[in-house]
Amino acid sequence: MSIAIIGSGFSGLGAAIRLDEAGHRDFLVFERGNDVGGTWRDNTYPGAACDVPSHLYSYSFALNPDWTRSFSAQPEIEDYLRGVAQRANVLDRHVFGCEVRRTAWNPEKSHWELATAKGGYTADILIAGFGSLAEPSLPAIPGIESFAAAGGDLFHSAQWNHDTDLAGKRVAVIGTGASAIQIVPAIVDRVTHLGVYQRTAPWLLPRFDRAFTAPERWAFRNVPGYLRLARAGIYAGRETQVVGLAKNPNLMKGFELLSRAKIRREIKDPELRRRVTPNFRIGCKRMLISNDWYPALDRDHVDLITDGIQEIDGRRIVTADGTVREVDALVVATGFHVTDSPMFDTVCGADGASLTQKFADKGMRAYKGTTIAGYPNMFVLVGPNTGLGHSSMVYMIESQINYVVDAVTTMRRRGLRTVEVKQHALDSYNDRLQKALDGSVWMNGKCASWYLDAHGNNTTLWPDFTFRFRRQTRRFDIDAYETAPA
Ligand code: NAP
């Protein structure tokens, strides 16, 4: 094996397909789950759906005229990925149920050594497609471990326990992020009582979701160029948001007015309106889209609880104001380890340092979001500062894949054993990035978000138009790399 790919979500699977197409067929994909799909295989919570329109949230090389809705639900995206993998004939080079436990560069042998659940492997090139929203983050609430011990059902949104029947139960949901706002409306009719624990109110915009009509779907399939045109329209519309988010946050005012009007329209109770109104600038945290979140909060058997959770004592949740609420099931929709992924502990570079150690001083940094000095022949997909809050991650992933495929092609054409990004190229790239982020709403919008790391740096988001990222990753720029011949 020459190329090892970790993970088979949108990024790892996409890399496998594109490498295969380019004639680089000597890869293995290590996937800890039992199927492809990544986050879209794992997040099966009720109401799970995408916030980016389906025709943009799909591979450009595998457009899907058959999407049933403008915003796809999780099962349809999972099916899509499975279908794409089957048609591309890459499943024969997948090793499922195979967690990669440790990966280390061997400087003497100039290769990567992988310790996996199914034994040891070596690879010349490592493609890390383990994703950034893959490791659930559990809240460190004192006593939380006593909840399950007292017979309560507790699970993270990304690890939904479908054996638990919530019907007739008193349920608590912690968190009001993208996952929670989909879960709450989806379970509200089933439960006896729902307590929603909000730390920070999110900004919400309307969700323009609808089923495609039969003639539309016929046209997507049969009218030449129609599908691409629809996709381009969605792309362009989304891209305009960058101007407000990254360059001039004052331009986000219109979104804020829309969001305030939505609160007034969808909630009757003035006190509830006050508590759902965010206290930071719109866009600073991911803007959420929903038409049924506020109406769900306004229901009689739903309480929005804004006092912080002080402790959990068996089945009782105690908030800072001293109120005790007993519940039967607790859903923690508290997000993921993004800038502190436990996967970083498992990847060790030329000097033996793990990515966690490497990122300790300045946070996550990579060249073009993809390569890291000290980690030769390694390419990270969905790497540092490649994330988006407003458009399709699949577009960014495909840009990175272009870069990686061209890197592999270049290495093989030139007979190179190793490529390693030069430290100064990485440093100046990141200096430019951080400067570009200075004026963004993510840095100035007065919120705490998972976009920022422990140092207060934004090491997750791309601060510019996405076509600029596409342009800079079109070709592998070998001049930025130290190389060694085979
Ligand atoms: P998230 O956006 O990180 O939200 C986590 C929520 O939990 C926040 O409301 C947070 O409050 C709260 N929280 C975290 N720790 C807490 C604690 N100790 N005590 C109380 N509350 C706590 O996570 P997510 O909703 O799973 O979404 C993560 C990302 O996944 C999204 O931003 C998006 O990129 C993606 N996603 C997309 C979709 C979609 O396309 N529809 C759906 C789901 C997820 P604070 O705000 O105060 O931190």
Side-chain angles (χ1 to χ4, degrees), residues 365-373 378-387 396-397 399-401 403-404 406 421-422 425-433 462 468-481:
R365 291 158 92 242
Y367 179 65
K368 300 193 172 178
T370 314
T371 50
I372 302 169
M378 181 177 90
F379 302 91
V380 187
L381 301 176
V382 192
N385 293 102
T386 60
M396 297 298 277
I397 287 168
S399 303
Q400 286 196 277
I401 292 174
Y403 190 72
V404 176
D406 197 43
V421 70
K422 293 172 184 165
L426 186 148
D427 288 339
S428 55
Y429 176 81
N430 280 277
D431 289 348
R432 283 198 304 278
L433 257 183
W462 171 247
R468 293 214 168 116
F469 187 75
R470 175 62 58 98
R471 212 180 290 151
Q472 75 170 21
T473 45
R474 230 171 42 172
R475 291 263 168 270
F476 182 63
D477 46 347
I478 198 158
D479 292 346
Y481 289 79

Tab-separated table of all heavy atoms in Angstrom, residues 365-373 378-387 396-397 399-401 403-404 406 421-422 425-433 462 468-481:
chain	number	residue	atom	x	y	z
A	365	ARG	N	-2.332	25.030	12.757
A	365	ARG	CA	-1.845	25.809	11.616
A	365	ARG	C	-1.385	24.847	10.541
A	365	ARG	O	-0.720	23.850	10.829
A	365	ARG	CB	-0.666	26.701	12.024
A	365	ARG	CG	-1.059	27.840	12.961
A	365	ARG	CD	0.110	28.349	13.733
A	365	ARG	NE	0.779	29.463	13.069
A	365	ARG	CZ	2.013	29.456	12.648
A	365	ARG	NH1	2.773	28.391	12.808
A	365	ARG	NH2	2.541	30.508	12.059
A	366	ALA	N	-1.733	25.155	9.318
A	366	ALA	CA	-1.267	24.339	8.199
A	366	ALA	C	-1.074	25.249	6.997
A	366	ALA	O	-1.552	26.392	6.989
A	366	ALA	CB	-2.289	23.250	7.871
A	367	TYR	N	-0.361	24.778	6.018
A	367	TYR	CA	-0.194	25.534	4.774
A	367	TYR	C	-1.350	25.173	3.858
A	367	TYR	O	-1.601	23.983	3.573
A	367	TYR	CB	1.156	25.160	4.131
A	367	TYR	CG	1.417	25.859	2.821
A	367	TYR	CD1	1.580	27.245	2.768
A	367	TYR	CD2	1.501	25.135	1.636
A	367	TYR	CE1	1.824	27.896	1.574
A	367	TYR	CE2	1.762	25.773	0.429
A	367	TYR	CZ	1.907	27.157	0.409
A	367	TYR	OH	2.148	27.792	-0.774
A	368	LYS	N	-2.088	26.209	3.454
A	368	LYS	CA	-3.280	26.007	2.623
A	368	LYS	C	-4.237	25.001	3.253
A	368	LYS	O	-4.909	24.234	2.560
A	368	LYS	CB	-2.879	25.601	1.201
A	368	LYS	CG	-2.019	26.678	0.545
A	368	LYS	CD	-1.829	26.504	-0.935
A	368	LYS	CE	-1.121	27.744	-1.504
A	368	LYS	NZ	-0.846	27.660	-2.913
A	369	GLY	N	-4.241	24.993	4.572
A	369	GLY	CA	-5.146	24.119	5.306
A	369	GLY	C	-4.830	22.654	5.175
A	369	GLY	O	-5.585	21.801	5.657
A	370	THR	N	-3.689	22.314	4.564
A	370	THR	CA	-3.487	20.938	4.126
A	370	THR	C	-2.185	20.288	4.597
A	370	THR	O	-2.174	19.098	4.926
A	370	THR	CB	-3.541	20.875	2.567
A	370	THR	OG1	-4.653	21.631	2.105
A	370	THR	CG2	-3.659	19.452	2.065
A	371	THR	N	-1.069	21.038	4.580
A	371	THR	CA	0.210	20.402	4.915
A	371	THR	C	0.871	21.100	6.117
A	371	THR	O	0.660	22.296	6.340
A	371	THR	CB	1.179	20.417	3.706
A	371	THR	OG1	1.239	21.755	3.190
A	371	THR	CG2	0.723	19.463	2.619
A	372	ILE	N	1.676	20.339	6.852
A	372	ILE	CA	2.238	20.831	8.111
A	372	ILE	C	3.733	20.509	8.146
A	372	ILE	O	4.131	19.362	7.870
A	372	ILE	CB	1.517	20.156	9.310
A	372	ILE	CG1	0.003	20.448	9.240
A	372	ILE	CG2	2.099	20.635	10.640
A	372	ILE	CD1	-0.828	19.640	10.208
A	373	ALA	N	4.554	21.531	8.481
A	373	ALA	CA	6.008	21.310	8.561
A	373	ALA	C	6.303	20.288	9.655
A	373	ALA	O	5.720	20.341	10.742
A	373	ALA	CB	6.705	22.637	8.862
A	378	MET	N	2.187	14.195	4.385
A	378	MET	CA	0.865	14.114	5.020
A	378	MET	C	-0.017	15.260	4.534
A	378	MET	O	0.443	16.403	4.431
A	378	MET	CB	0.972	14.186	6.543
A	378	MET	CG	-0.391	14.067	7.204
A	378	MET	SD	-0.320	14.066	9.008
A	378	MET	CE	-0.450	15.801	9.358
A	379	PHE	N	-1.259	14.937	4.229
A	379	PHE	CA	-2.226	15.922	3.752
A	379	PHE	C	-3.476	15.818	4.610
A	379	PHE	O	-4.044	14.731	4.753
A	379	PHE	CB	-2.564	15.652	2.277
A	379	PHE	CG	-1.353	15.679	1.387
A	379	PHE	CD1	-0.626	14.510	1.124
A	379	PHE	CD2	-0.905	16.873	0.839
A	379	PHE	CE1	0.509	14.536	0.323
A	379	PHE	CE2	0.231	16.913	0.036
A	379	PHE	CZ	0.944	15.745	-0.214
A	380	VAL	N	-3.855	16.953	5.188
A	380	VAL	CA	-5.040	16.968	6.062
A	380	VAL	C	-6.215	17.560	5.290
A	380	VAL	O	-6.115	18.658	4.745
A	380	VAL	CB	-4.798	17.850	7.311
A	380	VAL	CG1	-5.960	17.725	8.290
A	380	VAL	CG2	-3.493	17.479	7.983
A	381	LEU	N	-7.307	16.835	5.242
A	381	LEU	CA	-8.519	17.381	4.618
A	381	LEU	C	-9.403	17.977	5.714
A	381	LEU	O	-9.389	17.498	6.851
A	381	LEU	CB	-9.260	16.281	3.853
A	381	LEU	CG	-8.434	15.613	2.743
A	381	LEU	CD1	-9.195	14.463	2.096
A	381	LEU	CD2	-8.005	16.628	1.682
A	382	VAL	N	-10.174	19.015	5.354
A	382	VAL	CA	-10.898	19.808	6.364
A	382	VAL	C	-9.899	20.239	7.446
A	382	VAL	O	-10.149	20.139	8.641
A	382	VAL	CB	-12.087	19.040	6.985
A	382	VAL	CG1	-12.981	19.986	7.786
A	382	VAL	CG2	-12.934	18.365	5.937
A	383	GLY	N	-8.746	20.694	6.989
A	383	GLY	CA	-7.684	21.101	7.913
A	383	GLY	C	-7.924	22.506	8.458
A	383	GLY	O	-8.993	23.096	8.257
A	384	PRO	N	-6.912	23.063	9.147
A	384	PRO	CA	-7.051	24.384	9.756
A	384	PRO	C	-7.507	25.453	8.750
A	384	PRO	O	-7.044	25.491	7.616
A	384	PRO	CB	-5.631	24.692	10.243
A	384	PRO	CG	-5.016	23.343	10.459
A	384	PRO	CD	-5.612	22.447	9.429
A	385	ASN	N	-8.420	26.312	9.194
A	385	ASN	CA	-8.914	27.434	8.388
A	385	ASN	C	-9.425	27.049	7.000
A	385	ASN	O	-9.217	27.775	6.024
A	385	ASN	CB	-7.836	28.527	8.272
A	385	ASN	CG	-7.555	29.179	9.609
A	385	ASN	OD1	-6.545	28.871	10.248
A	385	ASN	ND2	-8.430	30.038	10.069
A	386	THR	N	-10.093	25.916	6.944
A	386	THR	CA	-10.779	25.559	5.693
A	386	THR	C	-12.293	25.517	5.903
A	386	THR	O	-13.042	25.211	4.980
A	386	THR	CB	-10.333	24.182	5.160
A	386	THR	OG1	-10.640	23.193	6.152
A	386	THR	CG2	-8.853	24.143	4.842
A	387	GLY	N	-12.731	25.799	7.128
A	387	GLY	CA	-14.158	25.668	7.446
A	387	GLY	C	-14.977	26.843	6.934
A	387	GLY	O	-14.449	27.917	6.647
A	396	MET	N	-15.073	23.135	-0.389
A	396	MET	CA	-13.732	23.302	0.179
A	396	MET	C	-12.964	21.968	0.135
A	396	MET	O	-11.782	21.913	-0.198
A	396	MET	CB	-13.810	23.808	1.620
A	396	MET	CG	-14.442	25.168	1.766
A	396	MET	SD	-13.526	26.479	0.911
A	396	MET	CE	-12.261	26.879	2.118
A	397	ILE	N	-13.672	20.901	0.465
A	397	ILE	CA	-13.047	19.573	0.459
A	397	ILE	C	-12.552	19.239	-0.950
A	397	ILE	O	-11.424	18.765	-1.139
A	397	ILE	CB	-14.059	18.516	0.959
A	397	ILE	CG1	-14.271	18.661	2.465
A	397	ILE	CG2	-13.618	17.103	0.594
A	397	ILE	CD1	-15.457	17.872	3.019
A	399	SER	N	-11.682	21.291	-3.228
A	399	SER	CA	-10.513	22.128	-3.541
A	399	SER	C	-9.262	21.478	-2.963
A	399	SER	O	-8.220	21.371	-3.628
A	399	SER	CB	-10.679	23.525	-2.937
A	399	SER	OG	-11.858	24.113	-3.394
A	400	GLN	N	-9.372	21.037	-1.715
A	400	GLN	CA	-8.219	20.379	-1.079
A	400	GLN	C	-7.849	19.090	-1.817
A	400	GLN	O	-6.671	18.772	-1.977
A	400	GLN	CB	-8.537	20.062	0.386
A	400	GLN	CG	-8.532	21.284	1.278
A	400	GLN	CD	-8.453	20.880	2.736
A	400	GLN	OE1	-9.464	20.558	3.332
A	400	GLN	NE2	-7.266	20.886	3.304
A	401	ILE	N	-8.863	18.362	-2.251
A	401	ILE	CA	-8.582	17.109	-2.961
A	401	ILE	C	-7.835	17.398	-4.272
A	401	ILE	O	-6.905	16.670	-4.647
A	401	ILE	CB	-9.889	16.312	-3.203
A	401	ILE	CG1	-10.450	15.800	-1.864
A	401	ILE	CG2	-9.652	15.149	-4.163
A	401	ILE	CD1	-11.817	15.133	-1.964
A	403	TYR	N	-5.718	19.660	-4.766
A	403	TYR	CA	-4.334	19.940	-4.361
A	403	TYR	C	-3.601	18.626	-4.058
A	403	TYR	O	-2.475	18.399	-4.509
A	403	TYR	CB	-4.381	20.830	-3.125
A	403	TYR	CG	-3.062	21.430	-2.696
A	403	TYR	CD1	-2.464	22.441	-3.440
A	403	TYR	CD2	-2.440	21.016	-1.521
A	403	TYR	CE1	-1.268	23.017	-3.023
A	403	TYR	CE2	-1.244	21.594	-1.102
A	403	TYR	CZ	-0.659	22.596	-1.857
A	403	TYR	OH	0.519	23.163	-1.445
A	404	VAL	N	-4.273	17.750	-3.325
A	404	VAL	CA	-3.633	16.499	-2.898
A	404	VAL	C	-3.378	15.591	-4.120
A	404	VAL	O	-2.298	15.007	-4.252
A	404	VAL	CB	-4.513	15.772	-1.856
A	404	VAL	CG1	-3.909	14.434	-1.482
A	404	VAL	CG2	-4.696	16.641	-0.618
A	406	ASP	N	-2.975	16.490	-7.163
A	406	ASP	CA	-1.877	17.050	-7.954
A	406	ASP	C	-0.534	16.837	-7.251
A	406	ASP	O	0.490	16.628	-7.911
A	406	ASP	CB	-2.119	18.536	-8.217
A	406	ASP	CG	-1.254	19.050	-9.364
A	406	ASP	OD1	-1.147	18.347	-10.397
A	406	ASP	OD2	-0.639	20.126	-9.209
A	421	VAL	N	6.326	20.745	3.641
A	421	VAL	CA	6.172	22.188	3.458
A	421	VAL	C	7.245	22.931	4.258
A	421	VAL	O	7.618	22.528	5.367
A	421	VAL	CB	4.738	22.638	3.848
A	421	VAL	CG1	4.475	22.549	5.341
A	421	VAL	CG2	4.464	24.052	3.349
A	422	LYS	N	7.754	24.021	3.657
A	422	LYS	CA	8.779	24.820	4.335
A	422	LYS	C	8.121	25.627	5.446
A	422	LYS	O	7.021	26.174	5.257
A	422	LYS	CB	9.438	25.780	3.334
A	422	LYS	CG	10.256	25.061	2.259
A	422	LYS	CD	10.729	26.037	1.184
A	422	LYS	CE	11.449	25.297	0.065
A	422	LYS	NZ	11.629	26.106	-1.147
A	425	ALA	N	7.038	29.148	4.593
A	425	ALA	CA	5.849	29.222	3.724
A	425	ALA	C	4.593	29.077	4.585
A	425	ALA	O	3.609	29.810	4.423
A	425	ALA	CB	5.899	28.125	2.670
A	426	LEU	N	4.656	28.141	5.519
A	426	LEU	CA	3.513	27.921	6.421
A	426	LEU	C	3.274	29.154	7.297
A	426	LEU	O	2.140	29.606	7.467
A	426	LEU	CB	3.785	26.684	7.282
A	426	LEU	CG	2.661	26.191	8.193
A	426	LEU	CD1	2.729	24.665	8.337
A	426	LEU	CD2	2.718	26.808	9.573
A	427	ASP	N	4.377	29.727	7.813
A	427	ASP	CA	4.226	30.885	8.708
A	427	ASP	C	3.627	32.080	7.973
A	427	ASP	O	2.698	32.719	8.464
A	427	ASP	CB	5.591	31.285	9.300
A	427	ASP	CG	6.069	30.275	10.340
A	427	ASP	OD1	5.222	29.529	10.869
A	427	ASP	OD2	7.284	30.236	10.605
A	428	SER	N	4.184	32.378	6.794
A	428	SER	CA	3.676	33.595	6.131
A	428	SER	C	2.242	33.371	5.643
A	428	SER	O	1.425	34.302	5.676
A	428	SER	CB	4.607	34.080	5.016
A	428	SER	OG	4.816	33.046	4.112
A	429	TYR	N	1.903	32.145	5.258
A	429	TYR	CA	0.514	31.855	4.871
A	429	TYR	C	-0.433	32.137	6.050
A	429	TYR	O	-1.464	32.794	5.903
A	429	TYR	CB	0.391	30.396	4.434
A	429	TYR	CG	-1.024	29.972	4.103
A	429	TYR	CD1	-1.580	30.271	2.861
A	429	TYR	CD2	-1.802	29.287	5.030
A	429	TYR	CE1	-2.881	29.893	2.561
A	429	TYR	CE2	-3.105	28.914	4.738
A	429	TYR	CZ	-3.636	29.213	3.495
A	429	TYR	OH	-4.930	28.836	3.202
A	430	ASN	N	-0.021	31.674	7.237
A	430	ASN	CA	-0.889	31.849	8.404
A	430	ASN	C	-0.921	33.291	8.901
A	430	ASN	O	-1.951	33.745	9.404
A	430	ASN	CB	-0.501	30.876	9.522
A	430	ASN	CG	-1.074	29.503	9.244
A	430	ASN	OD1	-2.230	29.234	9.546
A	430	ASN	ND2	-0.298	28.642	8.593
A	431	ASP	N	0.180	34.008	8.748
A	431	ASP	CA	0.155	35.427	9.122
A	431	ASP	C	-0.873	36.165	8.266
A	431	ASP	O	-1.648	36.988	8.760
A	431	ASP	CB	1.545	36.066	8.923
A	431	ASP	CG	2.535	35.545	9.968
A	431	ASP	OD1	2.074	34.903	10.936
A	431	ASP	OD2	3.759	35.760	9.787
A	432	ARG	N	-0.858	35.861	6.968
A	432	ARG	CA	-1.824	36.514	6.057
A	432	ARG	C	-3.252	36.158	6.449
A	432	ARG	O	-4.143	37.004	6.473
A	432	ARG	CB	-1.553	36.081	4.608
A	432	ARG	CG	-0.359	36.777	3.949
A	432	ARG	CD	-0.410	36.652	2.432
A	432	ARG	NE	-0.478	35.265	1.965
A	432	ARG	CZ	0.565	34.451	1.832
A	432	ARG	NH1	1.782	34.877	2.142
A	432	ARG	NH2	0.418	33.217	1.383
A	433	LEU	N	-3.445	34.900	6.765
A	433	LEU	CA	-4.787	34.434	7.145
A	433	LEU	C	-5.309	35.178	8.366
A	433	LEU	O	-6.431	35.667	8.383
A	433	LEU	CB	-4.708	32.957	7.533
A	433	LEU	CG	-5.175	31.893	6.576
A	433	LEU	CD1	-5.066	30.532	7.235
A	433	LEU	CD2	-6.619	32.124	6.158
A	462	TRP	N	-12.252	29.751	6.885
A	462	TRP	CA	-11.634	30.390	5.726
A	462	TRP	C	-12.208	31.804	5.617
A	462	TRP	O	-13.428	31.973	5.507
A	462	TRP	CB	-11.930	29.567	4.465
A	462	TRP	CG	-11.529	30.257	3.196
A	462	TRP	CD1	-12.360	30.712	2.212
A	462	TRP	CD2	-10.201	30.560	2.771
A	462	TRP	NE1	-11.636	31.295	1.210
A	462	TRP	CE2	-10.303	31.216	1.529
A	462	TRP	CE3	-8.934	30.359	3.324
A	462	TRP	CZ2	-9.188	31.657	0.828
A	462	TRP	CZ3	-7.815	30.808	2.625
A	462	TRP	CH2	-7.951	31.443	1.394
A	468	ARG	N	-11.460	31.806	-4.067
A	468	ARG	CA	-10.035	32.125	-3.874
A	468	ARG	C	-9.305	30.925	-3.279
A	468	ARG	O	-8.149	30.678	-3.591
A	468	ARG	CB	-9.876	33.355	-2.975
A	468	ARG	CG	-10.396	34.606	-3.633
A	468	ARG	CD	-9.571	35.836	-3.242
A	468	ARG	NE	-9.915	36.949	-4.090
A	468	ARG	CZ	-10.483	38.082	-3.675
A	468	ARG	NH1	-10.743	38.263	-2.394
A	468	ARG	NH2	-10.757	39.050	-4.513
A	469	PHE	N	-9.986	30.180	-2.422
A	469	PHE	CA	-9.363	28.957	-1.891
A	469	PHE	C	-9.216	27.941	-3.023
A	469	PHE	O	-8.195	27.268	-3.150
A	469	PHE	CB	-10.198	28.370	-0.744
A	469	PHE	CG	-9.528	27.206	-0.058
A	469	PHE	CD1	-8.476	27.416	0.817
A	469	PHE	CD2	-9.918	25.899	-0.308
A	469	PHE	CE1	-7.833	26.353	1.444
A	469	PHE	CE2	-9.287	24.822	0.315
A	469	PHE	CZ	-8.243	25.053	1.189
A	470	ARG	N	-10.254	27.860	-3.860
A	470	ARG	CA	-10.196	26.937	-4.997
A	470	ARG	C	-8.999	27.260	-5.891
A	470	ARG	O	-8.264	26.382	-6.334
A	470	ARG	CB	-11.525	27.044	-5.767
A	470	ARG	CG	-11.635	26.248	-7.066
A	470	ARG	CD	-11.521	24.760	-6.874
A	470	ARG	NE	-12.476	24.143	-5.974
A	470	ARG	CZ	-13.594	23.529	-6.341
A	470	ARG	NH1	-13.911	23.463	-7.621
A	470	ARG	NH2	-14.379	22.952	-5.455
A	471	ARG	N	-8.798	28.574	-6.107
A	471	ARG	CA	-7.704	28.999	-6.990
A	471	ARG	C	-6.346	28.621	-6.384
A	471	ARG	O	-5.463	28.146	-7.075
A	471	ARG	CB	-7.796	30.513	-7.198
A	471	ARG	CG	-7.313	30.956	-8.553
A	471	ARG	CD	-7.417	32.458	-8.710
A	471	ARG	NE	-8.767	32.968	-8.801
A	471	ARG	CZ	-9.135	34.191	-8.392
A	471	ARG	NH1	-8.256	35.022	-7.870
A	471	ARG	NH2	-10.370	34.590	-8.516
A	472	GLN	N	-6.181	28.828	-5.082
A	472	GLN	CA	-4.857	28.582	-4.479
A	472	GLN	C	-4.560	27.090	-4.292
A	472	GLN	O	-3.431	26.722	-3.990
A	472	GLN	CB	-4.712	29.335	-3.155
A	472	GLN	CG	-5.469	28.735	-1.996
A	472	GLN	CD	-5.083	29.392	-0.654
A	472	GLN	OE1	-4.568	30.500	-0.619
A	472	GLN	NE2	-5.331	28.702	0.428
A	473	THR	N	-5.575	26.257	-4.460
A	473	THR	CA	-5.337	24.814	-4.300
A	473	THR	C	-5.438	24.067	-5.638
A	473	THR	O	-5.445	22.845	-5.667
A	473	THR	CB	-6.361	24.205	-3.316
A	473	THR	OG1	-7.663	24.694	-3.635
A	473	THR	CG2	-6.043	24.562	-1.881
A	474	ARG	N	-5.520	24.844	-6.727
A	474	ARG	CA	-5.684	24.201	-8.038
A	474	ARG	C	-4.488	23.335	-8.413
A	474	ARG	O	-4.618	22.280	-8.984
A	474	ARG	CB	-5.892	25.280	-9.095
A	474	ARG	CG	-7.097	24.996	-9.952
A	474	ARG	CD	-7.410	26.126	-10.817
A	474	ARG	NE	-6.180	26.686	-11.396
A	474	ARG	CZ	-6.188	27.601	-12.329
A	474	ARG	NH1	-7.315	28.034	-12.786
A	474	ARG	NH2	-5.071	28.092	-12.803
A	475	ARG	N	-3.304	23.828	-8.074
A	475	ARG	CA	-2.065	23.122	-8.416
A	475	ARG	C	-1.213	22.950	-7.162
A	475	ARG	O	-1.194	23.825	-6.303
A	475	ARG	CB	-1.244	23.928	-9.420
A	475	ARG	CG	-1.844	24.018	-10.778
A	475	ARG	CD	-1.254	22.970	-11.722
A	475	ARG	NE	-2.033	22.882	-12.948
A	475	ARG	CZ	-3.081	22.055	-13.109
A	475	ARG	NH1	-3.445	21.239	-12.157
A	475	ARG	NH2	-3.769	22.043	-14.240
A	476	PHE	N	-0.470	21.871	-7.116
A	476	PHE	CA	0.482	21.665	-6.021
A	476	PHE	C	1.695	22.554	-6.277
A	476	PHE	O	2.391	22.391	-7.297
A	476	PHE	CB	0.903	20.191	-5.974
A	476	PHE	CG	1.848	19.885	-4.857
A	476	PHE	CD1	1.465	20.034	-3.539
A	476	PHE	CD2	3.136	19.442	-5.125
A	476	PHE	CE1	2.346	19.757	-2.495
A	476	PHE	CE2	4.021	19.148	-4.093
A	476	PHE	CZ	3.619	19.311	-2.779
A	477	ASP	N	1.944	23.526	-5.405
A	477	ASP	CA	3.020	24.515	-5.600
A	477	ASP	C	4.301	24.006	-4.951
A	477	ASP	O	4.632	24.369	-3.813
A	477	ASP	CB	2.599	25.874	-5.021
A	477	ASP	CG	1.986	25.752	-3.644
A	477	ASP	OD1	1.658	24.619	-3.236
A	477	ASP	OD2	1.851	26.774	-2.947
A	478	ILE	N	5.024	23.238	-5.705
A	478	ILE	CA	6.170	22.503	-5.150
A	478	ILE	C	7.264	23.412	-4.585
A	478	ILE	O	8.034	23.003	-3.702
A	478	ILE	CB	6.720	21.520	-6.200
A	478	ILE	CG1	7.579	20.475	-5.507
A	478	ILE	CG2	7.433	22.238	-7.330
A	478	ILE	CD1	7.744	19.211	-6.271
A	479	ASP	N	7.289	24.664	-5.050
A	479	ASP	CA	8.322	25.583	-4.545
A	479	ASP	C	8.192	25.846	-3.049
A	479	ASP	O	9.153	26.269	-2.407
A	479	ASP	CB	8.246	26.928	-5.281
A	479	ASP	CG	8.645	26.769	-6.730
A	479	ASP	OD1	9.212	25.698	-7.063
A	479	ASP	OD2	8.364	27.684	-7.535
A	480	ALA	N	7.020	25.635	-2.508
A	480	ALA	CA	6.822	25.861	-1.067
A	480	ALA	C	7.270	24.645	-0.256
A	480	ALA	O	7.095	24.624	0.961
A	480	ALA	CB	5.350	26.168	-0.800
A	481	TYR	N	7.869	23.662	-0.913
A	481	TYR	CA	8.179	22.385	-0.240
A	481	TYR	C	9.658	22.021	-0.331
A	481	TYR	O	10.321	22.297	-1.337
A	481	TYR	CB	7.337	21.255	-0.874
A	481	TYR	CG	5.872	21.372	-0.511
A	481	TYR	CD1	5.057	22.295	-1.170
A	481	TYR	CD2	5.313	20.612	0.505
A	481	TYR	CE1	3.719	22.444	-0.814
A	481	TYR	CE2	3.975	20.753	0.860
A	481	TYR	CZ	3.186	21.669	0.195
A	481	TYR	OH	1.874	21.820	0.554
